[in-house]
Amino acid sequence: MDVHYLLQLVLNGLFVGAFYGLVALGYSMVYGIIKLLNFAHGDIYMLGAFAGYTMLTIGAGALGGGSIVALVVILVIAMVLTGTVGLVLERVAYRPLRSAPRLSVLITAVGASFALEYGVAVGYGPNPRVYPVGFGNGAVDIFGARLTYAQLFMMLVALGLMIGLDMFIRRTRSGRAMRAISQDPKACLLMGINVDNVISRTFFIGSALAGAAGVMAGAYYGKVDFLMGFIIGLKAFTAAVIGGIGNLRGAVLGAIVLGLLESFGTALLGSEWRDVFAFGFLILFLTVRPTGLLGERVTERV
Amino acid sequence: MMSTTRIGAVAAAAGVVLALASCGGGGITNSGSGGGGDTKGDIILGMATPLSGSSAAIGPYMKNGAQLAVNEINDKGGVLGRKLKLVVEDEACDPKTAAAAAAKLVTEGTMVSVGGYCSSATLPTLSIFGKANIPMIIPAANSNDLLKGNNKNVFLLNGTGAQQAQAAVDFMKKSGAKAVALVDDNTSYSKDITTRTAEDAKGDASLKIATQQSVTAGESDYSAAVTAIMRANSDFVYWTGYYQEGGLIIKQLKAAGYKGKIMVADGSVDKQLITIAGQDNAQGVYATMTQTPQTIPGGDGWIAKYKAAFNADPGPYSTQSYDAVRVAAEAIKNAGSTDGTKVIKALEDINGFKIFSGNLKFTPEHTLTEGGFDILVVKGDQFVLNK
């Protein structure tokens, strides 16, 4: 195999991995703090894509068409919106069940997922919508491999958001509170930390990141539909498990590993094997190394 | 997936059995008054077509096309002195939904079925209509899988996958393609065309199939397939799936710097393909397509009639659905009855009845003798006949 082909596969993997990563972070944050697999998380990604679509369609003129600045503004607004939806979701669907058996919350999460999907289907209709912006096909040549400017831009935004989150978790008081709660919520309560607030904040941040990924996917791929969050939700979950669920750097690592596995796996076996490959690795990791690549703490699991 | 489909089909089949049982009860009273089957009331034509889901755009085109024929025939006094009535159910391009829709159409008293768009969704309905001895004139679905069961009641009014593949290969040769990439979405209809195209291309030394890719429908990222196509140095890509994925693949091919020709099969011929791919990217994309009113010589008058009736433009499979109703009416007239067996015989005997694609005569396999595939090309925001 020649170098530029290998490099192209790596770039494909990294690009897809960037999207998986943004969604996987929210999965992992929520799991780390309240041990809940938030199956509605992929649908928050879908909501982000639709929020971006709505703003672009309504405000395209006012924002000066599909310029990068307009897109960034829309990205930020969509993040606030989806973050708020995540917050409300936690307040309405999950908080009342916090002391209930874990299975109840899991079922509620699946219900919330359907509610969001078909709520959007009712509001926007079942047909796909097309983003009214398009990027040119301009690209940079990296040793013969090709990366479009749009892809480069998306990856930089994703990287920026990931670094921002990492700094927030490691350097701020809020971040420290989150890490503390993930270790022992009862002790945190005794130490005077407002646990409910921190959990709300976690949902807000996780959902905002998924919303950002949704807007970016909508702008890059162009097509959005109400079921678009389903597969990526499962893939992000897989990424989180590969990296070690609950571990944020692990989630990003897992996403990149998954993206690369898919990219090389399909190159070897053909594109119809992509999902078989991805979910085969999920099963492999769950049986052989359930704590993932970076997970050390052996906690009890659902 | 496989097992749930089967459960759905079994449940639907069970529904049909129940429905037949109750119909039988009603039939006795009917024959008491009418004498020898139902000879009174409306002649009911059933149509399963996608009104929701990924191919929802097609449903109204088919429904209106069929309704136009029903209106015209009724205005001239109907068939055998009875009025035609069109009953439409949603198949959502989904096998389970389609099986339920077919069962419902049977209970609603369908005498001839004039529906069927997605091949994978039409497959499970064959046996449901077959058990009720209802002839099916399928306007759109055209996978050769539909013929595998040798169902006596199934007639395809659209060119088949084999005919489409032949048209595609002819065009590839004509345009001087050297290395062809075939891409399908792993569904019955799509895979059928790529398999047959690959077989047909074998006969020609100058035409090489460089790569064959199957993608999963419903995803966004097709970079794996695109990279494989670029690596195989293809100069001609033939996509045989539906328009949503088709649009994304065209867009991603262009973003990857692909400069060769692209062609899509009839399932992708929809304006949405151009919207999703982006108008610039879609320019010059070819398509193998059965005749549409826009491409048929003298179709203008028909389009005007359609517009007057529904205040909308006709689309893909409007004409085929219109023809399906006319063929059904012709067969019932010739049979002198709505009895399934007699109508099937009458359909087999039709010779030279004028439909949009030419003079109708079915082959022994119940397909068209003349395929009638055109090559279209994207110009501006629509598909036009390639000249």
Side-chain angles (χ1 to χ4, degrees):
Chain A
M1 285 196 196
D2 35 336
V3 178
H4 71 86
Y5 177 59
L6 284 178
L7 198 60
Q8 186 68 56
L9 292 180
V10 170
L11 287 178
N12 288 350
L14 287 178
F15 181 66
V16 178
F19 282 102
Y20 292 166
L22 283 180
V23 184
L25 278 171
Y27 250 114
S28 224
M29 281 171 79
V30 168
Y31 184 85
I33 288 192
I34 56 171
K35 303 286 174 281
L36 161 71
L37 290 176
N38 181 13
F39 277 114
H41 195 61
D43 300 300
I44 300 277
Y45 161 89
M46 178 270 295
L47 278 185
F50 272 89
Y53 167 78
T54 312
M55 282 186 275
L56 275 172
T57 324
I58 295 171
L63 287 160
S67 71
I68 293 284
V69 181
L71 207 62
V72 171
V73 171
I74 281 170
L75 185 81
V76 173
I77 303 177
M79 284 176 74
V80 174
L81 283 177
T82 51
T84 312
V85 172
L87 206 95
V88 172
L89 187 69
E90 191 271 334
R91 187 70 193 80
V92 173
Y94 303 147
R95 192 177 294 178
L97 291 170
R98 195 160 308 149
S99 54
R102 209 160 301 159
L103 192 61
S104 313
V105 195
L106 201 68
I107 293 168
T108 309
V110 174
S113 163
F114 282 132
L116 291 176
E117 282 170 14
Y118 290 93
V120 170
V122 168
Y124 288 85
N127 291 326
R129 299 299 179 107
V130 180
Y131 260 54
V133 291
F135 296 102
N137 294 329
V140 276
D141 195 307
I142 310 168
F143 303 113
R146 201 180 149 92
L147 192 68
T148 63
Y149 294 126
Q151 285 177 313
L152 192 65
F153 174 67
M154 301 284 167
M155 283 165 82
L156 288 177
V157 172
L159 187 69
L161 288 170
M162 287 168 186
I163 292 174
L165 178 72
D166 197 63
M167 306 251 281
F168 176 79
I169 299 283
R170 282 172 200 269
R171 300 270 172 84
T172 65
R173 285 173 65 89
S174 284
R176 198 187 305 152
M178 284 182 188
R179 281 181 287 145
I181 290 176
S182 77
Q183 295 196 342
D184 194 338
K186 284 220 180 75
C188 287
L189 210 54
L190 294 173
M191 302 310 277
I193 296 175
N194 189 335
V195 173
D196 278 346
N197 262 355
V198 176
I199 291 176
S200 293
R201 208 171 294 150
T202 309
F203 265 89
F204 183 88
I205 296 170
S207 302
L209 289 176
V215 176
M216 283 158 59
Y220 178 71
Y221 294 114
K223 189 202 76 167
V224 298
D225 67 83
F226 72 102
L227 288 176
M228 66 186 282
F230 179 69
I231 289 278
I232 196 161
L234 291 179
K235 293 276 176 77
F237 170 65
T238 308
V241 169
I242 290 179
I245 195 155
N247 183 318
L248 296 190
R249 288 183 175 176
V252 174
L253 178 70
I256 291 170
V257 168
L258 182 65
L260 292 174
L261 280 174
E262 279 189 9
S263 176
F264 281 89
T266 49
L268 285 175
L269 301 169
S271 16
E272 66 267 42
W273 287 90
R274 179 173 165 178
D275 291 353
V276 179
F277 214 71
F279 296 123
F281 266 92
L282 173 64
I283 296 170
L284 192 72
F285 264 88
L286 283 175
T287 44
V288 177
R289 193 176 161 83
T291 52
L293 293 172
L294 294 188
E296 297 120 26
R297 284 180 299 119
V298 181
T299 47
E300 92 274 33
R301 307 210 174 256
V302 197
Chain B
M1 200 61 201
M2 207 54 218
S3 67
T4 49
T5 310
R6 184 163 307 161
I7 291 167
V10 169
V16 173
V17 172
L18 286 176
L20 285 180
S22 58
C23 271
I28 293 167
T29 47
N30 256 357
S31 61
S33 56
D38 48 17
T39 53
K40 275 200 235 159
D42 293 338
I43 295 176
I44 296 170
L45 304 178
M47 170 181 267
T49 189
L51 296 171
S52 66
S54 58
S55 296
I58 298 294
Y61 296 144
M62 290 180 63
K63 184 180 155 191
N64 290 346
Q67 190 62 51
L68 186 61
V70 167
N71 293 351
E72 286 180 9
I73 291 166
N74 283 346
D75 287 346
K76 288 180 192 151
V79 179
L80 306 177
R82 298 160 68 180
K83 296 276 181 204
L84 297 182
K85 187 176 164 217
L86 182 69
V87 182
V88 179
E89 293 293 339
D90 182 17
E91 56 133 278
C93 198
D94 166 62
K96 278 172 284 181
T97 315
K104 193 149 178 253
L105 287 172
V106 172
T107 57
E108 283 164 338
T110 295
M111 295 160 191
V112 178
S113 160
V114 292
Y117 172 70
C118 290
S119 296
S120 49
T122 308
L123 264 177
T125 69
L126 300 185
S127 62
I128 296 170
F129 286 119
K131 283 191 186 114
N133 199 25
I134 294 171
M136 297 177 75
I137 304 167
I138 302 176
N142 61 354
S143 165
N144 281 64
D145 288 352
L146 296 168
L147 303 169
K148 278 186 186 151
N150 284 324
N151 295 297
K152 264 190 74 69
N153 65 320
V154 177
F155 294 83
L156 303 190
L157 211 53
N158 192 359
T160 59
Q163 286 162 340
Q164 175 150 220
Q166 192 54 54
V169 170
D170 288 346
F171 184 74
M172 286 168 195
K173 284 184 202 161
K174 216 176 90 187
S175 65
K178 297 271 178 303
V180 176
L182 299 174
V183 191
D184 63 54
D185 69 0
N186 246 338
T187 61
S188 164
Y189 149 78
S190 178
K191 195 108 198 161
D192 180 48
I193 302 174
T194 47
T195 315
R196 277 159 203 284
T197 307
E199 275 171 23
D200 290 349
K202 261 186 205 157
D204 197 300
S206 66
L207 199 63
K208 195 178 106 232
I209 302 298
T211 178
Q212 249 179 297
Q213 297 286 322
S214 294
V215 302
T216 311
E219 293 193 334
S220 302
D221 193 283
Y222 293 113
S223 57
V226 166
T227 306
I229 291 167
M230 297 303 286
R231 178 162 173 76
N233 285 321
S234 312
D235 59 358
F236 198 111
V237 174
Y238 188 33
W239 160 250
T240 63
Y242 295 96
Y243 61 84
Q244 290 195 27
E245 292 78 22
L248 290 173
I249 287 173
I250 293 171
K251 187 174 182 177
Q252 290 171 30
L253 272 171
K254 294 284 182 175
Y258 177 75
K259 297 270 189 289
K261 295 190 169 74
I262 303 174
M263 185 158 77
V264 298
D266 57 345
S268 281
V269 178
D270 190 295
K271 281 186 182 172
Q272 279 273 354
L273 177 97
I274 303 166
T275 319
I276 293 172
Q279 200 163 314
D280 291 345
N281 291 333
Q283 293 311 302
V285 168
Y286 297 99
T288 46
M289 179 62 187
T290 44
Q291 285 144 332
T292 62
Q294 286 84 357
T295 62
I296 294 168
D300 296 349
W302 190 83
I303 295 174
K305 272 197 291 183
Y306 185 103
K307 272 189 176 164
F310 307 107
N311 198 20
D313 285 322
Y317 301 108
S318 292
T319 50
Q320 283 89 345
S321 305
Y322 173 84
D323 278 338
V325 170
R326 290 178 57 239
V327 170
E330 175 74 7
I332 292 169
K333 193 181 82 192
N334 293 349
S337 154
T338 56
D339 177 73
T341 316
K342 288 182 188 156
V343 175
I344 289 170
K345 179 78 179 55
L347 282 168
E348 285 172 342
D349 290 342
I350 280 185
N351 192 352
F353 183 67
K354 274 215 76 72
I355 59 172
F356 274 105
S357 63
N359 294 326
L360 178 66
K361 176 166 174 51
F362 286 109
T363 62
E365 292 80 39
H366 293 183
T367 61
L368 292 184
T369 10
E370 299 163 24
F373 274 92
D374 289 329
I375 303 293
L376 308 186
V377 64
V378 175
K379 277 231 170 70
D381 65 346
Q382 52 193 342
F383 286 91
V384 297
L385 203 58
N386 181 49
K387 282 174 198 148

